[in-house]
Amino acid sequence: MTPFEVKPQERRALGWSLLYVFAVLSAYYVLRPIRDEMGVQGGVENLPWLFTGTLLGMLALNPLFAALVRRLPRERFIAWSYRFFAANLVLFLALFHLADAAQNVWLGRAFFIWLSVFNLFVVSVFWALMVDVFDAGQGKRLFGLLAAGATAGAIAGSAITASLAREVGATNLFIASIVLLEVAVLAVKKLSFKESRQEEAAIGGSVLAGISHTFRSPYLLGVCLFILLFTVTSTFLYFQQATIARDYFVDRASRTAFFAQVDLLVNVLTLAVQLFFTAHILRKLGVALTLGILPLFTLFGFAALAAAPVIAVLVAFQVLRRAANFALARPTRELLFTVLPREDKYKAKSFIDTVVYRAGDQVGSWSYLLLSSFGLGIAGVAVVAIPLSAGWLAISLWLGRRQAKMAQAEEF
């Protein structure tokens, strides 16, 4: 049995979808190391405030996106959204070239916030389209391959920045991301699905439906809790990585290259798992058990940090955890949305993937500072994270079983 079973009628849609996600992730990973270096330059102690700014940006952007979803067909609101971000990049490129050193620090903080919004938003829009196009059964077969396309794009973006940041200057790489975003828009336009005219019409509904539907649904609230626990534990590890980079590298170019190299290592490992194991694991274990792998691994990882709080263990844990997230948890998490009504696939999903996600960053970042103020180091924070990981595992298993029941009900 091949890792991926693609039916003839799915090939065209899948091909354009792969180009779409490759372009989006390449565009982001060109910029990610630049953001991480700017976050360090602006002061690790200021990162919680940058996460607060990111959450505020998400809160401002979500109603605007919901308004586009309400009024425009999906091809148009996706194109408008991506070109809006491309125009932002043109503006940032001009400002960075005109600003002096002191102004560049503040611009870097603004860019950190902007890219943190951009990252979740553009990827969430991609997956919203995928869970609208492919059903739960197709998702089990194809989402691993789409995740591999995302990882290939991330590898390409990381490689571009790792190899060119010193030669051409980090901010000049914004041009590559702008071009890649336009490729993503082209791929969306070329996606040709045999759907009714009604499905291609604007989705309609309320601008606030994403929020109201989320808080009325135990299932969607469960997804929110899953996201919150994931982001809190991720933020703990992110702060440690930022501290290590600050202490070990003295110049901006070296830090940017370091972040890109870490991303490259994560993505190469992720791609290997996605190509050879993700689809098999999903078919063999099902949604619930596959969704539980990342929180279980996180629980053991924090236990290892509590026992041996050294830099090598921390970095290894970060790399392996991120790979497990991208290779297994992310495509499986997207399956949770395939059983929802169409409006919720765009509005509720966007709210959860952006606002709730960044709310988790807030909880994680301020909690980390609070724990640090009490004198807790790597081991102490790891001990706190162990019960959080156990709760995350429990909600993962519940969500997976609920999704299976809802998918089965759709078939009848």
Side-chain angles (χ1 to χ4, degrees), residues 237 294-308 313-314 316-318 321 378 382 385-386 389:
L237 290 173
L294 181 62
L296 182 63
F297 176 79
T298 301
L299 190 155
F300 285 123
F302 278 119
L305 276 176
V313 174
L314 178 67
F317 178 28
Q318 174 77 304
R321 184 181 187 273
I378 294 176
I386 290 173
S389 302

Side-chain angles (χ1 to χ4, degrees), residues 67-118:
L68 289 179
V69 172
R70 181 172 178 262
R71 294 178 179 273
L72 299 176
R74 64 189 184 192
E75 177 187 315
R76 289 176 62 191
F77 70 67
I78 292 173
W80 282 32
S81 300
Y82 284 12
R83 284 172 174 161
F84 167 77
F85 284 113
N88 291 172
L89 277 172
V90 173
L91 178 61
F92 269 118
L93 179 60
L95 290 175
F96 273 115
H97 279 287
L98 294 173
D100 58 30
Q103 292 169 336
N104 265 316
V105 173
W106 285 99
L107 268 177
R109 291 168 179 162
F111 182 75
F112 185 103
I113 292 171
W114 177 89
L115 190 64
S116 299
V117 173
F118 166 89

Side-chain angles (χ1 to χ4, degrees), residues 263-293:
D263 288 340
L264 188 59
L265 177 61
V266 169
N267 289 313
V268 169
L269 178 59
T270 300
L271 184 61
V273 177
Q274 287 167 334
L275 288 177
F276 299 106
F277 299 104
T278 299
H280 285 316
I281 290 171
L282 258 174
R283 283 197 295 259
K284 185 74 172 177
L285 299 183
V287 174
L289 292 180
T290 306
L291 201 63
I293 290 174

Side-chain angles (χ1 to χ4, degrees), residues 359-377:
D361 284 341
Q362 284 290 285
V363 175
S365 60
W366 290 108
S367 297
Y368 184 90
L369 283 190
L370 180 63
L371 294 171
S372 298
S373 71
F374 290 138
L376 295 183

Side-chain angles (χ1 to χ4, degrees), residues 107-382:
L107 268 177
R109 291 168 179 162
F111 182 75
F112 185 103
I113 292 171
W114 177 89
L115 190 64
S116 299
V117 173
F118 166 89
N119 160 32
L120 291 185
F121 191 83
V122 298
V123 175
S124 177
V125 169
F126 164 76
W127 282 111
L129 180 59
M130 294 303 102
V131 300
D132 191 18
V133 170
F134 300 112
D135 60 28
Q138 290 173 309
K140 286 184 178 180
R141 291 186 290 106
L142 303 178
F143 281 7
L145 183 56
L146 289 175
T151 303
I155 291 172
S158 299
I160 289 170
T161 302
S163 59
L164 297 180
R166 291 187 181 93
E167 284 73 15
V168 304
T171 55
N172 289 326
L173 294 174
F174 290 4
I175 296 171
S177 286
I178 293 168
V179 173
L180 288 163
L181 285 174
E182 192 58 32
V183 171
V185 171
L186 173 65
V188 172
K189 289 184 176 181
K190 291 291 186 179
L191 279 168
S192 178
F193 306 111
K194 294 182 179 179
E195 302 181 15
S196 68
R197 181 173 296 180
Q198 182 180 4
E199 289 177 311
E200 286 298 331
I203 292 171
S206 168
V207 170
L208 299 178
I211 300 172
S212 61
H213 290 191
T214 296
F215 286 103
R216 288 202 302 260
S217 166
Y219 181 73
L220 288 174
L221 285 174
V223 178
C224 290
L225 184 56
F226 178 96
I227 295 293
L228 284 170
L229 291 170
F230 166 69
T231 52
V232 167
T233 53
S234 297
T235 303
F236 286 173
L237 290 173
Y238 181 82
F239 271 62
Q240 294 291 348
Q241 177 180 281
T243 302
I244 289 169
R246 180 194 63 192
D247 294 342
Y248 276 73
F249 300 99
V250 295
D251 65 278
R252 297 184 61 181
S254 295
R255 285 196 298 265
T256 300
F258 165 73
F259 287 127
Q261 287 159 2
V262 170
D263 288 340
L264 188 59
L265 177 61
V266 169
N267 289 313
V268 169
L269 178 59
T270 300
L271 184 61
V273 177
Q274 287 167 334
L275 288 177
F276 299 106
F277 299 104
T278 299
H280 285 316
I281 290 171
L282 258 174
R283 283 197 295 259
K284 185 74 172 177
L285 299 183
V287 174
L289 292 180
T290 306
L291 201 63
I293 290 174
L294 181 62
L296 182 63
F297 176 79
T298 301
L299 190 155
F300 285 123
F302 278 119
L305 276 176
V310 297
I311 290 175
V313 174
L314 178 67
V315 173
F317 178 28
Q318 174 77 304
V319 170
L320 293 173
R321 184 181 187 273
R322 285 177 59 194
N325 174 48
F326 295 137
L328 297 174
R330 184 60 192 258
T332 309
R333 191 178 90 206
E334 298 305 334
L335 285 170
L336 299 176
F337 295 97
T338 59
V339 295
L340 296 176
R342 194 159 185 257
E343 185 177 16
D344 289 344
K345 289 176 179 177
Y346 289 96
K347 296 180 183 177
K349 177 173 170 53
S350 175
F351 172 72
I352 292 170
D353 283 351
T354 58
V355 175
V356 174
Y357 192 107
R358 288 310 179 197
D361 284 341
Q362 284 290 285
V363 175
S365 60
W366 290 108
S367 297
Y368 184 90
L369 283 190
L370 180 63
L371 294 171
S372 298
S373 71
F374 290 138
L376 295 183
I378 294 176
V381 172

